[in-house]
Structure formats: structure tokens, C-alpha cells
Amino acid sequence: MKEILKIPMFAFMLLCVAAMAFVTVYILVARHRKFAARVEKIFVGILFFTITSSSGVTPMMFQKIHPSIFLNTETTAATIVGQLAIYSGMILILIPRLSKTTKNFVNACIKWIIGDGCFCLFLLMMTLSPLWSETPELSFRAVLTLWGITLVSIYVGKEYSWGEIYGLLRWLSCLLAVWGVVQKNPSSDGCWTGILSHKNPFSFQMANTASLWILYAVKEKRYRYFSLLITLVALIGLQKGCSGASRILTVILISFWVYLSVLKRLPVRWAFFCFLLFLVGSICIGIIVLNNLEAIVVDGLKKDMTLTGRTNFWPLIIDRINEKHPIFGYGITGFWQSWRGLEDPAYGIVDVKSGFIPPHSHNGFIDILCELGWGGLSLFFFSFINNIFRGIKCLIQQDFPESALPLYLLTFMLMTNLTEGGLLAIGTYWCFYVVLSVKLSWDTKAKDN
């Protein structure tokens, strides 16, 4: 393909076709509001699908447009220019729509700051973190990239309804499941990774897909058989992903919908208390898995002891943070830097029993501790609790099951980030946390008004 593009005539013809397509779509977006909304959802879907989980999908066409390429100092100028051209083109096409939908964007941000002040302080701390990072240029690049997807997420949280967000989640998960089952990409141990980089995030996403579509099968009778088919595909992927924790997560998430339908009938305070009990119970199940009870993990789930190493090196990470940068951490992307050799802040952190050298914490909350210290982790914790409380209010005040989506997302993020990272990364965990934070602030304020 590269050789063909080097032919001037062919390159010029391709450029003309692209220009005509661009102008045509732009005119349609300017004249038809519904068409503009669909095009916008497609663009948002492409971005969110590209950065699925914490590392993104693996097909090359999506890797080329993954925002993380800005963090790689070896990325060629042509790749950067090409990606900027793609995203700039998307924005230009949507200008007729954005000129209308962003009129009260500042007002939405003010309501967000009032509604979730701890998270906004967390964002401020993240933005300033290059000032104390040992690699300020890399941290600055990461902050800019994170702010890019954060702005898109703020817009989605402001503009989209819970029903639209639920639909976006469903179809992204459907595409991920179907593509992942077709393109299995088994690892060395035979476990499927699908179109993700590792079997664990693939299995977590299959659990998410199964729980989202089985709910839709119950809700929408017209599409019940299709929904059950997607659920079956996800369960096949889940089984082949060989992740015991993901199988437990599937049971938790599916039972979660039933539990929330009961919570909806309770007063806010009692619902909040009961939801915390559910989270504590779910975390206890996760701890049991982490402690590797052989009767459950090995015999019952046919899984090896891959989680043991995590609990061995987590104390080492925490001790390293407490030694030098306990309050503010090492800055965004400032801790796990193996290429620096002896100067790597994480140098020497290894699982003594297996010799495994972790590339990251394998825990989203410890990753926050590494990058923003106890100060950043505390702010995120208070924001998380605040959003649980606001999610309970949303559940009680609005229609089920869309109103349960904030609590579902929070539970999914919590359970998956106990054993994997991605909470503070260029991925969908971060995006959907920003979306629900903004949406809950916007909805609460609208309800009060």
C-alpha cells in the first residue's frame, strides 16, 4: 500500500476522492440533524473502541490511530501527522453540530466542578504532575493525551442520555466479542486473547458483554434472540479466555442487575448502605480468588496460580512510593520506566518466588498511588464514593435499567482494577469514569432546577 501511495497520480486521485467524501458528509451533517448525531456516535465509537480496556485493540488500523502513539518518542512524524489529520477531519465534519451542542459547555463544566469537586482537583493534580516528574517531557505528553480523551468524554457525559450511553456500551462490546471470537489469537498456553493484548482484559470484556446483553434480552423482547446470541458468543469467549476471576465477575455482574432492581425501591440512605455491602461482598470474593484457594480457583475454575505474584510485589510498590514521593507520587507515566535501567523508579520490584518483573502494578488503584501519591488516591477515593451516592440517587429517581448504569460501571471498574490496571490510563476505564462523573453532575443539577 505504501508503494502505491508513492505514485503521484494515484495519491492525487485518492486525495480527490477523500476530499469529495469529506465535503459530502459535511453538507449532510450541516443539513440533517439526525444524520449528524449518527455520524458523531460513529466517531465517538471509533475512538472508544480503539482505546478499549487499558491498552486498546490490536488490529493495526486501530493501533495507528491510538492516542498513545504520542507517548512514544520513536513515533514517526508521518504517523503523528496522519493521526492528527484523522481526528481533525472528524472534528471539522462535526463543526455544524458542535456549534450548537457546545454552546453551554462551560456551564456544564461549572456544574461538574460543583458536583464532583474531588475529581476536578484530581484532574488539576494530574495536570500539574509533570512539574515533579523525573521525566517531565513524557509526563507532559501523557497529560495532554489524557486531556484529549477527557474532553471527548466530558462532551459525551453532557450531551448523551443514559440510554444512548447504554447503547454505545452494548454495541462496542458486541463488536469486541464477535471480532474476538473470530480472531482468537490464542496465547502460548492456548487461552484466547481476541483483539486485545492479553487474555485477562479480553475475559473481563467478555464478562461485560454477557452482562450487558443478557439485560437487553430481558428488557427488549423484540431483540431477545439476537441478544441471547451475543451473550452466548461472549460466554464462549469468556470460557476460552481461561480467566477464573472473569467467570466470578460474570456471576457478580449478572446478579448485580437483579440486586439493583431491589435497591431502587429503597430510600436513598438504605440503598447506599446496601450497595456498599454488595461491593464489600464482591471485594471479599476477589480476595478469596487472590488468596488462591485451590478448591475454588484451581479445581473449580481450572486456573493456575497466576494471581499469587501480584500480592507478592504490591507491598514492594507501596514501600517504594512511601520512601520518596508519598504525597504526590512520581507523576503521570513516571513510575514504570524499565528503559531507564538503574534510574527506573520501579527498579528492583520483582516477585521473588517466580522472578517475574511486573511492567505495571496489576492494580488500577496502586497505579494511581504510583503516579499521584496518597494525595491523588485520596481525591479519587472520595470522588468514587461521591459518585456511588449520586448513582444511587440516579437509580431511584430515573427509569430502570438505564438509571443503574452508573453503579454498574463503577462496580465493573472496581472489580477489574483489583487485579488489572487501566483506571488512570488512555483507555475506556478512564473515559467512562469521566462520562459518568459529568453525567451525574449534569443530571443532578437539572433535577434540582
Side-chain angles (χ1 to χ4, degrees), residues 2 19 22 89 102 110 117 169 220 237-238 252 266 281 313 315 317 323 327 350 378 406 411 414 433-434 440 449:
K2 292 182 179 180
F22 177 88
T102 57
I110 293 174
L169 273 169
E220 294 290 342
L238 178 71
I252 291 173
L266 299 177
F313 59 72
I317 299 172
E323 284 176 8
I327 306 299
V350 59
S378 299
T411 303
L414 175 64
Y433 189 81
V434 175
L440 288 172
N449 290 338

Side-chain angles (χ1 to χ4, degrees), residues 142-186:
V143 167
L144 285 181
T145 308
L146 274 170
W147 264 111
I149 63 173
T150 299
L151 289 174
V152 175
S153 303
I154 293 172
Y155 177 83
V156 172
K158 168 195 168 294
E159 195 63 28
Y160 288 25
S161 67
W162 286 118
E164 290 174 313
I165 296 171
Y166 177 44
L168 179 65
L169 273 169
R170 275 200 330 273
W171 288 110
L172 289 178
S173 64
C174 173
L175 179 59
L176 189 69
V178 174
W179 199 341
V181 170
V182 173
Q183 187 175 326
K184 305 175 182 65
N185 288 334

Side-chain angles (χ1 to χ4, degrees), residues 211-212 215 252-267 270-279 282 388 391-412:
S211 58
L212 287 172
L215 173 68
I252 291 173
L253 292 178
I254 292 177
S255 61
F256 182 69
W257 294 116
V258 180
Y259 188 74
L260 286 184
S261 65
V262 176
L263 288 190
K264 184 174 176 62
R265 304 171 186 174
L266 299 177
W270 278 106
F272 179 74
F273 176 73
C274 292
F275 181 78
L276 290 182
L277 285 180
F278 181 89
L279 285 186
S282 301
I388 288 176
I392 291 291
K393 293 175 67 176
C394 176
L395 172 70
I396 293 174
Q397 294 173 354
Q398 300 187 32
D399 295 332
F400 187 85
E402 288 81 1
S403 62
L405 198 58
L407 296 177
Y408 173 85
L409 288 171
L410 290 170
T411 303
F412 180 69

Side-chain angles (χ1 to χ4, degrees), residues 195-215:
I195 55 172
L196 295 175
S197 58
H198 194 269
K199 63 181 183 181
N200 286 341
F202 171 72
S203 298
F204 286 144
Q205 292 301 322
M206 293 304 98
N208 179 45
T209 304
S211 58
L212 287 172
W213 280 94
I214 201 168
L215 173 68

Side-chain angles (χ1 to χ4, degrees), residues 213-232:
W213 280 94
I214 201 168
L215 173 68
Y216 197 66
V218 175
K219 178 190 174 187
E220 294 290 342
K221 296 181 179 180
R222 292 179 299 171
Y223 307 107
R224 176 164 297 173
Y225 293 111
F226 177 76
S227 301
L228 291 175
L229 176 62
I230 300 301
T231 303
L232 178 61

Side-chain angles (χ1 to χ4, degrees), residues 95-400:
I95 279 182
R97 173 172 169 82
L98 295 176
S99 62
K100 300 174 182 177
T101 57
T102 57
K103 287 182 178 179
N104 54 354
F105 191 77
V106 175
N107 187 32
C109 290
I110 293 174
K111 292 177 180 179
W112 178 37
I113 293 172
I114 296 173
D116 198 1
C118 286
F119 187 59
C120 293
L121 289 175
F122 178 87
L123 283 172
L124 177 62
M125 191 174 181
M126 178 194 81
T127 305
L128 297 176
S129 67
L131 297 177
W132 58 81
S133 171
E134 294 180 7
T135 51
E137 180 184 352
L138 180 62
S139 294
F140 182 70
R141 287 185 177 209
V143 167
L144 285 181
T145 308
L146 274 170
W147 264 111
I149 63 173
T150 299
L151 289 174
V152 175
S153 303
I154 293 172
Y155 177 83
V156 172
K158 168 195 168 294
E159 195 63 28
Y160 288 25
S161 67
W162 286 118
E164 290 174 313
I165 296 171
Y166 177 44
L168 179 65
L169 273 169
R170 275 200 330 273
W171 288 110
L172 289 178
S173 64
C174 173
L175 179 59
L176 189 69
V178 174
W179 199 341
V181 170
V182 173
Q183 187 175 326
K184 305 175 182 65
N185 288 334
S187 56
S188 57
D189 56 2
C191 298
W192 291 4
T193 63
I195 55 172
L196 295 175
S197 58
H198 194 269
K199 63 181 183 181
N200 286 341
F202 171 72
S203 298
F204 286 144
Q205 292 301 322
M206 293 304 98
N208 179 45
T209 304
S211 58
L212 287 172
W213 280 94
I214 201 168
L215 173 68
Y216 197 66
V218 175
K219 178 190 174 187
E220 294 290 342
K221 296 181 179 180
R222 292 179 299 171
Y223 307 107
R224 176 164 297 173
Y225 293 111
F226 177 76
S227 301
L228 291 175
L229 176 62
I230 300 301
T231 303
L232 178 61
V233 170
L235 291 176
I236 293 173
L238 178 71
Q239 176 67 19
K240 296 296 185 178
C242 310
S243 172
S246 297
R247 296 170 193 173
I248 294 175
L249 177 63
T250 305
V251 175
I252 291 173
L253 292 178
I254 292 177
S255 61
F256 182 69
W257 294 116
V258 180
Y259 188 74
L260 286 184
S261 65
V262 176
L263 288 190
K264 184 174 176 62
R265 304 171 186 174
L266 299 177
V268 173
R269 292 183 180 180
W270 278 106
F272 179 74
F273 176 73
C274 292
F275 181 78
L276 290 182
L277 285 180
F278 181 89
L279 285 186
V280 171
S282 301
I283 292 172
C284 288
I285 294 175
I287 291 174
I288 291 173
V289 175
L290 289 175
N291 285 330
N292 298 301
L293 291 181
E294 293 194 12
I296 296 177
V297 181
V298 179
D299 298 333
L301 299 177
K302 302 186 183 304
K303 188 181 187 301
D304 58 13
M305 298 297 194
T306 55
L307 291 174
T308 306
R310 291 178 173 86
T311 56
N312 288 336
F313 59 72
W314 283 344
L316 301 178
I317 299 172
I318 295 173
D319 289 342
R320 186 66 57 85
I321 299 299
N322 291 335
E323 284 176 8
K324 293 186 177 181
H325 302 283
I327 306 299
F328 298 106
Y330 284 81
I332 300 298
T333 66
F335 188 74
W336 299 100
Q337 300 180 337
S338 57
W339 67 89
R340 295 178 62 192
L342 296 176
E343 295 181 352
D344 176 16
Y347 180 79
I349 295 178
V350 59
D351 177 16
V352 179
K353 292 183 178 180
S354 64
F356 173 67
I357 301 176
H360 53 82
S361 302
H362 285 278
N363 184 296
F365 301 96
I366 295 180
D367 279 335
I368 292 177
L369 177 64
C370 293
E371 300 187 351
L372 296 178
W374 290 104
L377 184 59
S378 299
L379 288 172
F380 190 85
F381 172 78
F382 288 122
S383 169
F384 201 89
I385 296 297
N386 176 47
N387 284 321
I388 288 176
F389 185 76
R390 297 193 301 166
I392 291 291
K393 293 175 67 176
C394 176
L395 172 70
I396 293 174
Q397 294 173 354
Q398 300 187 32
D399 295 332
F400 187 85

